Amino acid sequence: MAKEIKELTPRSENYSQWYQDLVTKADLAESSAVRGCMVIKPYGYAIWEKMQQELDRRFKETGHVNAYFPLFIPKSYLSREADHVEGFAKECAVVTHYRLKNAPDGSGVIVDPEAKLEEELIVRPTSETIIWSTYKDWIQSYRDLPILCNQWANVVRWEMRTRLFLRTAEFLWQEGHTAHATEEEAVEEARKMLGVYADFTENVLAVPVVCGVKSETERFAGAIDTYTIEALMQDGKALQSGTSHFLGQNFAKAFDVQFLNKEGKREYVWATSWGVSTRLMGALIMSHSDDNGLVLPPSLAPLQVVVVPIYKTDENLKEITEKVVPILEECRKRGISIKFDDNNNKKPGWKFAEYELKGVPVRLALGARDLEQGTVEVARRDTLTKETVSIEGICDHIEQLLKDIQKNIYQKALDYRKANTRTVETYEEFKAEIEKGGFILAHWDGTAETEARIKEETKATIRCVPLDGDLTPGVCMVTGKPSKCRVLFARAY
Amino acid sequence: MAKEIKELTPRSENYSQWYQDLVTKADLAESSAVRGCMVIKPYGYAIWEKMQQELDRRFKETGHVNAYFPLFIPKSYLSREADHVEGFAKECAVVTHYRLKNAPDGSGVIVDPEAKLEEELIVRPTSETIIWSTYKDWIQSYRDLPILCNQWANVVRWEMRTRLFLRTAEFLWQEGHTAHATEEEAVEEARKMLGVYADFTENVLAVPVVCGVKSETERFAGAIDTYTIEALMQDGKALQSGTSHFLGQNFAKAFDVQFLNKEGKREYVWATSWGVSTRLMGALIMSHSDDNGLVLPPSLAPLQVVVVPIYKTDENLKEITEKVVPILEECRKRGISIKFDDNNNKKPGWKFAEYELKGVPVRLALGARDLEQGTVEVARRDTLTKETVSIEGICDHIEQLLKDIQKNIYQKALDYRKANTRTVETYEEFKAEIEKGGFILAHWDGTAETEARIKEETKATIRCVPLDGDLTPGVCMVTGKPSKCRVLFARAY
């Protein structure tokens, strides 16, 4: 029962359907029986695990430790910080009972009305409140600071319209929550972690990002400042890929977390929080992949190299295998993940398509003629090009190729972003340009009213005020009022 | 503000209080604001992370892959397998609403009565039902089998009496869920994973375990057979440390998961599931630790070696530091986790007590006399003994010592278990012996009635029928009816 080659809807035809096709056909994730919740399939999870490892190492190198806080948050905790509850109340899954029982009519199980919780529990949409209620007991003096904790966890935000990886009711993420003695230190931490995210996204995901700060409207609920990394997807839409928040003393005040400073005075503690999620899987997919399937950077590919034998007889296969085994061994010794696919039930053409769909960066093919000539065919997933090279020194070649591919797909995404980042002066220009997709740099008067009007009229939002942007003042493209600097607009996921 | 040395209640005085003191004072975990849910603190989480790494490696080496399934389970799914719902209904956290709103009287936020879910969702107590509803779409033919998935996740069982790590409403665990074409293969998988658990527990946690099969009464809800590893704690109580279930075709039938076998016939799929949890932290603590604090096997110690300088002047400290730096470098090169604690705010005595409390396996101390004589004082946490050794070759010494400590604490726990495993013939003997704690091997007639009577009268339960136990038949100590073999009894956590 040979499975058919899984074709994807072309991007040019329907980008959104292409994405959906790719995520499901490449075995990354699928929808579950629970509305808005996804199943992350083994292949998708293997990529996520690689992301986790790279992030976790970076967190530890910058002095952070992991911990784990409860899944549930008492309802009253959420209300302690006014902006916070305002931001999250509309999407909270609420636990009200703790027991089921058999229905008296024998029709199955029902919620036991006698097992009602005294106070309802929220399934965490984010953990600031439960964590700051805990930090209260951990912090007495400046000697207890800073606290630099991270948590790998699942969170739930009851979204009405969901999309695999990009917006799901439950998602996986990490959330860092730090406590500091001074404002300066907390701001520095928030910015440092944005830098860690940018480094990770650019060097591991091969996705270029713009680092910036959010407008007040787009801030995290409860933050003083939200820093963001913004990536541009192939369809010209922006994807917020990670955020780091300077929370000021908001949560310390809400949970009365004070410390004795060096001068013996009581002060409220300063806070940050920062997170990235399985949404990064969406950023990865929509930055590099094509109509044939996934394109994975070698740094995240669960399988980096596949070897496909082209043979007619068992004797052929045996000869090929003899050539391949030393290559497998040498590659593995170098830490390269490589597989020899000698499955007899599938034809080479099927295998080529399957590994393209799965985004395996390098494919080797060996046939009878290669054996005679001492060569091997090497195909690159990123450029879809092939070359025939000598089997001598093939491992060096592969090693170099993996590095080249990592660089190339980053460069390609960067070139695309550069070609699709435009500067406009007038609102007319803006309205025309935004239809083409991409990032647009324009002047804005800094008011929420103008921002709302732009969003209403063009569906574009302010992605951020770039941290390394042009700081020349100007006049707002909409109102003509003064503008401190250009800000980055786009339509966004 | 020097913190006071944290004393623990002695074990002989109150074992349960000793455990509670140790878990909180050694910074492993603490209770949270949410009833029954714990906060796993960074030091405790670092140990759990090491357990995870060791387990995850073993799972992958035995061909398993990780995936992630939803946190929520539709209420109706739980009811599909009759025994399963019977077993879990009484402890389910139930999500009934998906939104909060401001109370009309301005008193805060309330659950929005209009945001009621059509079908209530259970927070997963275990994931068989949601996973088998997913596997239905993954399995058509024998070619799709086996499926060997594992998931690292949080689960919730609404327990009335909770204890840190041992029994908490939310806990962290891994759950393997496999699907097979034949009964033999599934049974083999369930037994294989029990073997993986036993290997891990004995060689990493240094906790000896008895491998066995549960009596029908103690089986997992929905299983045909439950295999278990049972450890004996220092207070003579047993702790079930991991279980592996042969589920037969129960869940395949409940979710109608069939496959076409090689002969082209439709058959129900065979299943296993297996899990270990943060409960292992409890097994670790109660197997090795003492009245001074934690005793950690080097394989799980986040910090394996600490170096404490004994000095009066800055000049002394400088000289000691010069001696210590090469030791740190060499140890780290060898993969040993080592820290030089030159914190000036704490006295050596405080540090000694603190690192004992935290279970750091090896402590080095260096003072002026050591500098003169080229020696260093080496203290072992497991035996609380000290020796003065030459600073030459100290890294070799440490490396060997870490291995010795790992072996010694395992041997100590094994000796304790041997000394506390007794064979009895009569029920009178049994009742007397059970009061002393420990494992008791006795004949039982195989009926749930006798098992219940024993539990009622002695609080002892059948921990398992040991897999490598004495298979000589006999007569039940209670009823005098025939018994196939001796089974293992204990009072248990």
Side-chain angles (χ1 to χ4, degrees):
Chain A
M1 193 169 78
K3 287 185 189 176
E4 278 177 42
I5 289 174
K6 300 161 193 157
E7 294 216 351
L8 309 178
T9 304
R11 288 170 292 173
S12 57
E13 197 175 290
N14 184 337
Y15 193 81
S16 169
Q17 187 59 47
W18 164 83
Y19 177 80
Q20 172 75 22
D21 284 359
L22 179 51
V23 170
T24 51
K25 293 185 180 178
D27 287 332
L28 299 175
E30 62 184 37
S31 297
S32 79
V34 183
R35 213 190 59 76
C37 292
M38 65 181 159
V39 172
I40 306 180
K41 298 180 79 174
Y43 194 63
Y45 200 84
I47 299 170
W48 173 242
E49 273 183 316
K50 288 192 156 249
M51 289 190 191
Q52 286 186 302
Q53 283 161 16
E54 289 279 352
L55 283 165
D56 199 68
R57 183 169 60 72
R58 284 168 170 79
F59 297 157
K60 284 174 178 157
E61 280 170 4
T62 47
H64 301 85
V65 289
N66 287 330
Y68 188 76
F69 297 87
L71 171 68
F72 299 129
I73 299 176
K75 179 171 63 84
S76 60
Y77 279 39
L78 210 66
S79 326
R80 296 259 197 114
E81 213 290 328
D83 289 336
H84 194 68
V85 66
E86 180 71 25
F88 287 103
K90 290 187 200 76
E91 49 188 38
C92 282
V94 190
V95 177
T96 56
H97 293 74
Y98 59 85
R99 195 165 63 216
L100 300 176
K101 67 168 196 174
N102 288 317
D105 64 1
S107 62
V109 291
I110 57 168
V111 178
D112 185 344
E114 286 176 21
K116 199 170 182 314
L117 291 172
E118 275 181 43
E119 179 177 3
E120 296 90 350
L121 297 171
I122 307 308
V123 181
R124 64 183 162 215
T126 179
S127 301
E128 278 76 6
T129 56
I130 190 76
I131 288 181
W132 277 86
S133 77
T134 307
Y135 281 179
K136 180 173 171 57
D137 294 329
W138 292 8
I139 300 169
Q140 275 88 43
S141 118
Y142 70 93
R143 287 206 175 88
D144 301 320
L145 296 171
I147 292 178
L148 305 173
C149 277
N150 176 60
Q151 157 168 287
W152 289 97
N154 53 345
V155 287
V156 171
R157 297 178 186 175
W158 207 263
E159 304 273 1
M160 281 303 154
R161 263 176 279 171
T162 61
R163 283 179 92 177
L164 293 168
F165 291 125
L166 296 173
R167 197 173 291 278
T168 48
E170 182 193 16
F171 57 88
L172 303 184
W173 79 345
Q174 61 67 219
E175 46 181 324
H177 293 272
T178 69
H180 305 267
T182 66
E183 176 171 13
E184 297 68 42
E185 198 185 296
V187 170
E188 195 193 319
E189 166 79 8
R191 284 178 171 247
K192 182 203 283 176
M193 296 322 290
L194 192 78
V196 166
Y197 287 156
D199 166 64
F200 165 76
T201 315
E202 300 203 327
N203 293 310
V204 181
L205 271 71
V207 173
V209 289
V210 176
C211 295
V213 62
K214 288 281 182 192
S215 65
E216 195 177 340
T217 313
E218 301 278 335
R219 246 177 234 156
F220 176 76
I224 304 291
D225 260 325
T226 286
Y227 297 94
T228 180
I229 49 171
E230 298 284 327
L232 188 62
M233 302 296 100
Q234 293 168 342
D235 62 344
K237 285 170 82 173
L239 185 76
Q240 177 181 305
S241 303
T243 48
S244 181
H245 316 294
F246 167 58
L247 303 171
Q249 296 172 312
N250 289 350
F251 288 91
K253 284 179 181 164
F255 290 91
D256 190 28
V257 186
Q258 299 184 48
F259 72 105
L260 273 183
N261 67 18
K262 284 187 187 170
E263 289 75 42
K265 283 189 191 153
R266 288 170 70 78
E267 272 188 74
Y268 285 108
V269 177
W270 299 87
T272 83
S273 67
W274 29 273
V276 294
S277 74
T278 35
R279 192 168 217 227
L280 285 173
M281 292 288 291
L284 180 74
I285 296 162
M286 292 199 293
S287 292
H288 308 307
S289 301
D290 62 25
D291 291 351
N292 295 355
L294 268 181
V295 173
L296 289 177
S299 58
L300 289 177
L303 180 64
Q304 294 174 311
V305 183
V306 65
V307 188
V308 178
I310 318 285
Y311 62 97
K312 288 192 180 132
T313 66
D314 284 356
E315 186 57 31
N316 289 159
L317 178 59
K318 206 181 139 216
E319 282 169 22
I320 293 170
T321 305
E322 276 166 19
K323 279 279 177 204
V324 169
V325 167
I327 300 175
L328 301 179
E329 284 171 359
E330 176 60 23
C331 279
R332 283 177 191 146
K333 212 182 287 174
R334 299 186 189 195
I336 296 167
S337 152
I338 184 168
K339 173 180 153 182
F340 180 44
D341 185 353
D342 58 357
N343 181 347
N344 214 351
N345 292 317
K346 304 274 196 263
K347 297 207 166 133
W350 188 92
K351 291 179 187 174
F352 286 12
E354 182 67 14
Y355 292 112
E356 265 177 27
L357 178 63
K358 294 283 181 75
V360 178
V362 174
R363 183 186 75 222
L364 307 187
L366 258 99
R369 198 190 301 170
D370 292 303
L371 286 184
E372 275 168 32
Q373 301 183 343
T375 58
V376 55
E377 186 189 85
V378 181
R380 281 175 70 147
R381 176 64 186 90
D382 60 333
T383 52
L384 292 170
T385 53
K386 291 183 211 175
E387 54 176 346
T388 300
V389 305
S390 167
I391 208 158
E392 290 231 357
I394 184 66
C395 293
D396 288 341
H397 186 78
I398 291 171
E399 209 166 8
Q400 186 57 48
L401 197 52
L402 290 172
K403 284 181 198 155
D404 291 350
I405 293 172
Q406 182 81 26
K407 266 190 214 152
N408 178 57
I409 63 178
Y410 174 75
Q411 190 60 46
K412 211 169 145 184
L414 186 62
D415 290 345
Y416 170 79
R417 189 186 78 188
K418 279 184 186 161
N420 288 281
T421 301
R422 293 180 297 278
T423 301
V424 305
E425 303 301 331
T426 70
Y427 195 34
E428 284 314 299
E429 257 187 287
F430 182 88
K431 285 194 253 188
E433 291 295 326
I434 203 75
E435 291 301 325
K436 301 177 191 163
F439 280 150
I440 299 183
L441 286 159
H443 280 293
W444 158 63
D445 63 16
T447 68
E449 293 70 33
T450 305
E451 191 179 1
R453 181 180 155 192
I454 295 169
K455 186 175 179 183
E456 171 72 27
E457 292 176 354
T458 69
K459 292 186 192 131
T461 49
I462 297 175
R463 304 316 305 155
C464 66
V465 184
L467 288 181
D468 60 353
D470 178 1
L471 287 180
T472 320
V475 294
C476 174
M477 64 174 173
V478 180
T479 62
K481 288 183 189 161
S483 153
K484 283 186 205 157
C485 63
R486 287 183 197 273
V487 300
L488 194 71
F489 288 91
R491 287 177 182 161
Y493 278 96
Chain B
M1 196 170 73
K3 288 184 191 177
E4 277 175 44
I5 290 173
K6 300 161 194 156
E7 294 215 354
L8 310 178
T9 303
R11 287 170 294 172
S12 57
E13 196 175 290
N14 184 339
Y15 193 81
S16 169
Q17 188 59 48
W18 166 82
Y19 177 80
Q20 172 76 20
D21 285 359
L22 179 51
V23 171
T24 50
K25 292 185 181 177
D27 287 333
L28 299 175
E30 63 185 38
S31 297
S32 79
V34 184
R35 213 191 58 77
C37 292
M38 65 180 159
V39 172
I40 306 179
K41 297 180 79 173
Y43 193 63
Y45 200 85
I47 299 170
W48 173 242
E49 272 183 316
K50 287 191 155 248
M51 290 190 191
Q52 286 186 301
Q53 284 161 15
E54 290 278 352
L55 283 165
D56 199 69
R57 183 169 61 72
R58 284 169 170 78
F59 298 157
K60 284 174 178 158
E61 281 169 4
T62 47
H64 301 85
V65 289
N66 287 331
Y68 189 77
F69 297 87
L71 170 67
F72 299 128
I73 299 175
K75 179 171 61 85
S76 60
Y77 278 41
L78 210 65
S79 326
R80 296 260 197 114
E81 212 291 326
D83 289 336
H84 194 67
V85 67
E86 181 70 24
F88 287 104
K90 291 187 199 77
E91 47 187 41
C92 283
V94 191
V95 176
T96 55
H97 292 74
Y98 57 84
R99 195 165 61 216
L100 300 177
K101 67 169 197 173
N102 288 317
D105 64 2
S107 62
V109 290
I110 56 168
V111 177
D112 186 344
E114 288 176 20
K116 198 170 181 317
L117 291 171
E118 275 180 44
E119 179 177 3
E120 295 90 350
L121 297 171
I122 308 307
V123 181
R124 63 181 163 217
T126 179
S127 301
E128 278 76 7
T129 55
I130 190 77
I131 288 180
W132 278 85
S133 77
T134 308
Y135 281 179
K136 183 174 169 55
D137 295 329
W138 292 8
I139 300 169
Q140 275 89 42
S141 121
Y142 71 93
R143 287 207 175 87
D144 301 320
L145 296 171
I147 292 177
L148 304 173
C149 276
N150 175 60
Q151 157 169 288
W152 289 97
N154 53 345
V155 287
V156 171
R157 297 177 187 176
W158 208 262
E159 303 275 1
M160 280 304 152
R161 264 176 279 170
T162 61
R163 283 180 92 178
L164 294 168
F165 291 125
L166 296 172
R167 198 173 290 278
T168 48
E170 181 193 15
F171 57 89
L172 304 185
W173 79 343
Q174 61 67 218
E175 46 181 324
H177 294 271
T178 69
H180 305 267
T182 66
E183 177 172 10
E184 298 68 44
E185 198 184 297
V187 170
E188 194 192 320
E189 166 79 7
R191 285 178 170 247
K192 182 202 282 174
M193 297 322 289
L194 191 79
V196 167
Y197 287 156
D199 165 64
F200 166 75
T201 315
E202 301 203 326
N203 294 309
V204 181
L205 271 71
V207 173
V209 290
V210 175
C211 294
V213 62
K214 287 282 183 193
S215 64
E216 194 177 341
T217 314
E218 300 279 334
R219 245 178 234 157
F220 175 76
I224 304 292
D225 261 325
T226 287
Y227 298 95
T228 180
I229 49 171
E230 298 284 327
L232 187 62
M233 302 296 101
Q234 293 168 342
D235 62 344
K237 287 171 80 174
L239 186 76
Q240 176 181 306
S241 303
T243 48
S244 181
H245 316 293
F246 167 58
L247 303 171
Q249 295 173 312
N250 290 350
F251 287 91
K253 284 178 180 162
F255 290 92
D256 191 28
V257 186
Q258 299 184 49
F259 71 105
L260 272 183
N261 68 17
K262 284 187 187 169
E263 290 74 42
K265 283 187 191 154
R266 287 170 71 77
E267 271 189 74
Y268 285 108
V269 177
W270 299 86
T272 83
S273 67
W274 29 273
V276 294
S277 73
T278 36
R279 192 167 217 231
L280 285 174
M281 293 288 292
L284 180 74
I285 296 161
M286 291 198 294
S287 292
H288 310 307
S289 302
D290 62 24
D291 290 351
N292 295 356
L294 269 180
V295 173
L296 290 176
S299 58
L300 289 178
L303 181 65
Q304 295 174 311
V305 183
V306 65
V307 188
V308 177
I310 318 286
Y311 61 97
K312 288 194 179 129
T313 65
D314 284 357
E315 186 56 32
N316 289 158
L317 178 59
K318 207 180 141 218
E319 281 169 21
I320 294 170
T321 305
E322 277 166 17
K323 279 279 177 204
V324 169
V325 166
I327 300 175
L328 301 178
E329 284 171 358
E330 177 59 24
C331 278
R332 283 178 191 145
K333 214 183 283 171
R334 298 185 190 197
I336 296 167
S337 152
I338 184 168
K339 175 180 151 182
F340 181 43
D341 185 354
D342 58 356
N343 181 348
N344 215 349
N345 292 317
K346 303 275 196 267
K347 296 202 168 137
W350 188 92
K351 291 179 187 174
F352 286 11
E354 181 69 12
Y355 292 113
E356 266 176 27
L357 178 63
K358 295 282 180 76
V360 178
V362 174
R363 182 186 73 222
L364 307 186
L366 259 98
R369 198 190 302 170
D370 293 303
L371 286 185
E372 274 168 33
Q373 301 183 342
T375 58
V376 55
E377 186 188 84
V378 181
R380 279 174 72 147
R381 176 64 186 91
D382 60 334
T383 53
L384 291 171
T385 53
K386 291 183 212 176
E387 54 176 345
T388 299
V389 305
S390 166
I391 208 157
E392 288 230 358
I394 184 66
C395 294
D396 289 340
H397 186 79
I398 291 171
E399 211 167 6
Q400 188 55 48
L401 197 52
L402 290 171
K403 285 180 196 156
D404 291 349
I405 293 173
Q406 182 82 25
K407 267 189 213 155
N408 178 56
I409 63 179
Y410 174 75
Q411 191 58 46
K412 211 168 144 184
L414 186 62
D415 291 345
Y416 170 80
R417 190 187 77 187
K418 281 183 184 162
N420 288 281
T421 301
R422 293 180 296 278
T423 301
V424 305
E425 304 301 331
T426 70
Y427 195 34
E428 284 316 300
E429 258 187 286
F430 181 87
K431 285 194 254 187
E433 292 294 327
I434 203 75
E435 291 301 325
K436 301 177 191 162
F439 281 149
I440 299 182
L441 286 160
H443 280 292
W444 158 63
D445 63 15
T447 69
E449 293 70 34
T450 305
E451 191 179 2
R453 181 179 154 193
I454 296 169
K455 186 175 179 183
E456 172 72 28
E457 293 177 354
T458 70
K459 291 185 192 134
T461 49
I462 298 176
R463 304 317 305 153
C464 65
V465 183
L467 289 181
D468 61 354
D470 177 2
L471 288 180
T472 321
V475 295
C476 175
M477 62 172 173
V478 179
T479 62
K481 289 183 191 163
S483 153
K484 283 187 208 159
C485 64
R486 288 184 196 272
V487 301
L488 194 70
F489 287 91
R491 287 178 181 158
Y493 277 96

